[in-house]
């Protein structure tokens, strides 16, 4: 009973302990009750006092504009070919972001990807391109009737240079006589590059074709509205995409731990540490679209293409914000909320719904 009496005598506000018995009783009983509260306070203290990384210089070097410099971004876009545009927004991480670095010698086993010189955590431009291309493929599932236009838009934005495209292109332009390889690569292109459904009917249809015209007919029926006179349109030839993706830098670092549990013992085995950009960190996304390959096209056709590409990109970005970027997206990591959505336009392009036009 002496221990319980000691607890009653302790001033819980000032935690005044006058004897060893009181101290032991306080530690054993009261502190157990306060444990979770104490951990929560400690986490908040650590969270609020994380040191920030100065990323202003590396952003300037990388050509990334801040919100106060959007008029400069608009001026830059105005100097590009007509119907170029830029997509710019800030975003807030709703879950940690992680992408593994190549550094083999580090204090933990899973360091986050960092810029080489400034050591700021980052998303590479190529990382944005791959993630956005994956999100873009989800648009193919929304409207099957307009898939051909979306596929052409996809190839204009992201380019075409895979082995599948090269093999198809080589056969169509009579650089190769290997029809079976062209058929195989056409299936690979539809399934893996575009992420479209391939069923037994389509496989048999492709296998049944025995000449170049047959393959082009498949492309025309399934993938493109531009194919005519047995010619392969530019979108289906090896070319660079019109979109330029800029990196994103974060100014905070933190540690996350995943603790796999033994299925039988129901207990943690070996905790795995991940260096991450924590939830609540802000970043800047910047993309510039330049229709460099459309100089000889009619202005009305070019404008229509740019408007479609702009609209599709904005939709894909919304999808990506829910899917997440980086690694461990199956755990919900990498999700973000889009803020300050801006588009800087060169020409009388329509502004996508929910986005604001940059002021000149």
């Amino acid at each position: 009973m002496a221990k319980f009496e000691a607890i009653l005598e302790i001033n819980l506000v000032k935690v005044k302990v006058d004897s060893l018995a009181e101290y032991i009783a306080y530690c054993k009983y009261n502190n157990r009750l306060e444990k979770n509260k104490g951990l929560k306070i400690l986490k908040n203290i650590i969270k609020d006092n994380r040191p920030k990384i100065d990323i202003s210089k590396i952003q300037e070097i990388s050509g990334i504009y801040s919100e106060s410099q959007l008029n400069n971004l608009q001026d830059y876009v105005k100097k590009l070919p007509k119907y170029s545009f830029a997509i710019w927004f800030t975003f807030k991480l709703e879950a940690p972001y992680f992408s593994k670095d190549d550094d083999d010698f580090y204090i933990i086993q899973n360091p986050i990807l960092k810029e080489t010189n400034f050591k700021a955590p980052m998303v590479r431009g190529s990382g944005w391109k791959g993630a956005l291309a994956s999100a873009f493929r989800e648009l193919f599932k929304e409207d099957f009737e307009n898939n051909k236009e979306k596929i052409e838009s996809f190839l204009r934005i992201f380019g075409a240079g895979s082995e599948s495209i090269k093999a198809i292109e080589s056969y169509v332009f009579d650089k190769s006589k290997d029809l079976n390889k062209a058929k195989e690569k056409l299936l690979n292109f539809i399934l893996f590059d575009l992420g479209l459904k391939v069923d037994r009917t389509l496989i048999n249809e492709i296998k049944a074709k025995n000449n170049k015209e047959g393959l082009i007919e498949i492309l025309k029926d399934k993938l493109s509205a531009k194919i005519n006179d047995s010619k392969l349109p530019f979108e289906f030839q090896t070319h660079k995409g019109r979109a330029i993706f800029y990196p994103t830098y974060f100014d905070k670092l933190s540690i996350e731990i995943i603790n796999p549990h033994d299925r039988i013992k129901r207990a943690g085995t070996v905790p795995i540490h991940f260096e991450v950009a924590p939830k609540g960190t802000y970043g800047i996304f910047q993309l510039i679209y330049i229709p460099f390959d459309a100089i000889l096209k009619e202005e009305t056709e070019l404008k229509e293409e740019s408007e479609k590409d702009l609209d599709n990109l904005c939709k894909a970005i919304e999808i990506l914000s829910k899917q997440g970027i980086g690694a461990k997206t199956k755990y919900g990591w990498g999700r973000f909320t889009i803020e300050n959505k801006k588009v800087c336009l060169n020409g009388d392009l329509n502004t996508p719904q929910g986005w604001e036009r940059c002021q000149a």
Side-chain angles (χ1 to χ4, degrees), residues 43-245:
K43 285 181 179 178
N44 289 333
I45 291 172
I46 294 172
K47 180 180 178 182
D48 295 337
N49 290 279
R50 287 191 188 114
K52 283 194 173 183
I53 304 166
D54 185 8
I55 58 174
S56 57
K57 191 65 178 177
I58 184 61
Q59 284 182 333
E60 181 183 348
I61 293 171
S62 300
I64 300 169
Y65 293 84
S66 64
E67 188 172 3
S68 61
Q69 298 172 322
L70 285 179
N71 56 334
N72 295 336
L73 178 58
Q74 177 64 57
D75 292 340
Y76 175 72
V77 172
K78 287 286 187 182
K79 298 175 184 177
L80 299 175
K82 195 171 184 181
Y83 300 124
S84 297
F85 60 79
I87 297 176
W88 185 100
F89 62 83
T90 58
F91 63 91
K92 179 182 178 182
L93 289 175
E94 293 299 319
Y97 160 78
F98 173 75
S99 182
K100 189 171 174 61
D101 200 359
D102 299 328
D103 192 351
D104 293 327
F105 301 99
Y106 203 70
I107 193 169
I108 62 173
Q109 66 267 46
N110 294 298
I112 193 172
L113 175 66
K114 299 185 189 71
E115 197 279 329
T116 306
N117 298 300
F118 289 82
K119 298 301 179 183
M122 67 179 295
V123 184
R124 285 198 180 104
S126 57
W128 277 118
K129 182 178 181 179
L132 200 55
S134 178
F136 196 107
R137 294 186 186 101
E138 295 295 317
L139 297 177
F140 299 154
K141 303 174 184 177
E142 293 180 357
D143 187 1
F144 291 101
E145 297 299 323
N146 295 320
N147 257 0
K148 292 181 181 179
E149 291 184 354
K150 286 191 173 71
I151 290 169
E152 290 165 357
S153 176
F154 176 87
L155 295 174
R156 283 195 301 268
I157 294 167
F158 298 100
S162 67
E163 291 300 319
S164 301
I165 280 284
K166 290 177 181 177
I168 297 168
E169 183 183 17
S170 178
Y171 181 78
V172 169
F173 289 113
D174 297 321
K175 296 178 182 178
S176 168
K177 302 296 182 182
D178 194 342
L179 176 60
N180 290 329
K181 182 179 180 181
K183 290 179 181 179
E184 178 188 342
K185 293 301 181 181
L186 177 57
L187 280 171
N188 286 347
F189 175 69
I190 295 172
L191 182 61
F192 298 112
D193 290 28
L194 300 179
L196 299 177
K197 182 179 178 181
V198 174
D199 54 19
R200 176 59 60 183
T201 304
L202 179 59
I203 294 173
N204 291 335
E205 188 178 351
I206 291 175
K207 283 184 176 180
K209 303 299 179 182
N210 54 15
N211 53 37
K212 176 174 67 176
E213 288 71 22
L215 286 185
I216 292 178
E217 185 182 340
I218 294 287
L219 286 171
K220 182 178 180 180
D221 290 343
K222 304 293 182 183
L223 306 178
S224 177
K226 291 187 175 181
I227 294 180
N228 52 52
D229 300 328
S230 298
K231 292 181 180 179
L232 197 64
F234 178 78
E235 285 82 359
F236 288 84
Q237 299 177 33
T238 304
H239 70 282
K240 178 183 176 182
R242 295 179 180 178
I244 300 171
F245 295 84

Side-chain angles (χ1 to χ4, degrees), residues 208-336:
K209 303 299 179 182
N210 54 15
N211 53 37
K212 176 174 67 176
E213 288 71 22
L215 286 185
I216 292 178
E217 185 182 340
I218 294 287
L219 286 171
K220 182 178 180 180
D221 290 343
K222 304 293 182 183
L223 306 178
S224 177
K226 291 187 175 181
I227 294 180
N228 52 52
D229 300 328
S230 298
K231 292 181 180 179
L232 197 64
F234 178 78
E235 285 82 359
F236 288 84
Q237 299 177 33
T238 304
H239 70 282
K240 178 183 176 182
R242 295 179 180 178
I244 300 171
F245 295 84
Y246 287 74
T248 294
Y249 301 100
F250 299 109
D251 61 1
K252 289 183 181 178
L253 278 175
S254 184
I255 296 290
E256 290 287 335
I257 300 173
I258 295 178
N259 191 14
H261 280 48
D262 186 277
R263 292 181 179 272
I264 298 175
K265 296 180 179 179
R266 304 290 183 182
T269 53
V270 181
I272 304 171
H273 297 78
F274 292 89
E275 188 179 42
V276 300
K279 175 183 176 181
T281 306
Y282 283 87
I284 294 175
F285 173 90
Q286 183 175 299
L287 174 154
I288 293 181
Y289 173 99
I290 306 173
F292 64 92
D293 55 355
I295 296 174
L296 300 179
K297 289 189 176 182
E298 294 290 336
E299 185 170 328
T300 53
E301 182 184 0
L302 176 56
K303 179 184 177 182
E304 184 181 354
E305 287 181 356
S306 294
E307 283 185 338
K308 287 178 181 177
D309 293 349
L310 175 59
D311 187 57
N312 288 333
L313 274 170
C314 291
K315 289 178 180 177
I317 288 168
E318 297 287 350
I319 294 172
L320 180 60
S321 68
K322 298 177 178 63
Q323 288 183 344
I325 54 173
K328 303 297 177 185
T329 52
K330 66 178 181 180
Y331 295 121
W333 287 15
R335 291 177 292 106
F336 56 90

